[in-house]
Amino acid sequence: NKARRDANYFLRNALNRWSEWTSLTYKNLLACIRKNLGEYILKIPYSKWLILFREFLLNIEQESELDPMTNDRFKFVGEHYEAICALKKMADDYIKEIQKKGLDAIRMATNVDESDVFTRQENWQEHGIALRLYSKQWGGKSNIVLLVDPNGSFCVQFYVYDISECDVSKLSAVVNDGKYTEDWEQSTIRYFGKFDNSNLDTILQEIHEVARRLDSYYGK
């Protein structure tokens, strides 16, 4: 009887507090971890534990996702496979052209040769395709990110590396605080974001402006 009373008491209290509970899915958990991982990962020396942690997150993601390939989707892809492959290639070419336009915007702003700018493409999963744009004039590590969102819009962010204490005020003077209100700092790195816009020409103009300001910071 006592065990039954205790169980009923626990159940009543749990039901009364149900409205205060917050639902947390694995998807939400993974998104939160990825959002906060960037600034902390810089504190961790590269080791096997970092690799194991990454594999652990990937395993959770794979186990928590529903199979996207239903019978109807499988049939649809099979019937339209050639057209889908053509669209995928078109999408890849689209990203390459945006990448080229981003590098051109930096070259025009900084008056450097093609050999002085380079790029790296990263898949930021649900956040889209990140195109990191570099100039050798910025030490080879500082970069502007042109993020292509899955919904078709764009975002500009940038990262400045190897900042000494005496450079902090100098960097602040060339950053447009009115646009870049989100920022963090870690050791000798500063991150600035985000400038969002659905118009590519506006985004390229912003990259041009950021590149010009970075050149000013680096003393060109």
Side-chain angles (χ1 to χ4, degrees):
N1 287 337
K2 183 178 183 303
R4 182 179 297 175
R5 288 197 302 272
D6 290 343
N8 287 335
Y9 175 80
F10 173 78
L11 182 59
R12 285 196 303 271
N13 277 275
L15 290 174
N16 288 336
R17 296 180 63 85
W18 180 265
S19 60
E20 302 176 16
W21 293 8
T22 299
S23 175
L24 179 64
T25 65
Y26 280 120
K27 183 177 180 180
N28 292 336
L29 175 62
L30 290 170
C32 185
I33 291 174
R34 286 199 177 98
K35 179 180 179 182
N36 294 283
L37 188 60
E39 58 181 290
Y40 293 109
I41 202 170
L42 298 170
K43 300 178 181 178
I44 307 172
Y46 190 77
S47 68
K48 67 177 182 180
W49 303 113
L50 189 60
I51 297 173
L52 289 173
F53 180 62
R54 180 177 178 276
E55 293 299 322
F56 175 67
L57 293 180
L58 289 174
N59 285 336
I60 292 179
E61 185 175 42
Q62 291 171 0
E63 292 296 328
S64 62
E65 284 185 348
L66 296 175
D67 185 2
M69 189 51 66
T70 62
N71 289 336
D72 288 341
R73 287 188 174 185
F74 184 83
K75 181 180 179 182
F76 178 85
V77 172
E79 292 174 350
H80 304 88
Y81 186 71
E82 183 178 2
I84 290 173
C85 286
L87 285 173
K88 184 178 182 303
K89 183 180 184 307
M90 190 182 300
D92 291 341
D93 291 342
Y94 174 73
I95 293 296
K96 290 178 182 177
E97 185 63 21
I98 291 176
Q99 204 168 37
K100 179 180 179 298
K101 289 179 180 294
L103 290 177
D104 286 344
I106 291 178
R107 287 197 306 104
M108 287 188 289
T110 59
N111 194 28
V112 296
D113 297 330
E114 288 187 11
S115 59
D116 291 321
V117 294
F118 57 101
T119 181
R120 190 176 78 224
Q121 180 176 320
E122 298 176 356
N123 186 347
W124 286 8
Q125 304 299 329
E126 68 271 16
H127 299 295
I129 301 297
L131 307 176
R132 289 190 181 271
L133 310 172
Y134 299 84
S135 171
K136 293 179 181 178
Q137 306 298 324
W138 308 335
K141 289 192 292 185
S142 296
N143 64 90
I144 302 172
V145 173
L146 197 175
L147 182 62
V148 184
D149 194 276
N151 66 15
S153 62
F154 308 96
C155 177
V156 175
Q157 308 169 25
F158 62 99
Y159 300 76
V160 185
Y161 284 69
D162 300 329
I163 299 176
S164 64
E165 287 299 323
C166 61
D167 285 336
V168 174
S169 59
K170 180 183 176 184
L171 176 63
S172 300
V174 300
V175 173
N176 190 331
D177 294 330
K179 292 180 179 178
Y180 294 93
T181 55
E182 179 180 334
D183 64 88
W184 58 255
E185 61 184 70
Q186 176 57 48
S187 184
T188 61
I189 303 171
R190 299 294 188 276
Y191 156 80
F192 299 91
K194 306 173 180 176
F195 179 83
D196 299 285
N197 203 285
S198 59
N199 185 281
L200 181 58
D201 288 338
T202 301
I203 287 293
L204 293 174
Q205 181 58 44
E206 181 62 20
I207 290 174
H208 184 283
E209 176 64 16
V210 172
R212 188 183 64 79
R213 288 172 177 265
L214 284 178
D215 254 30
S216 173
Y217 168 73
Y218 283 97
K220 276 202 64 183

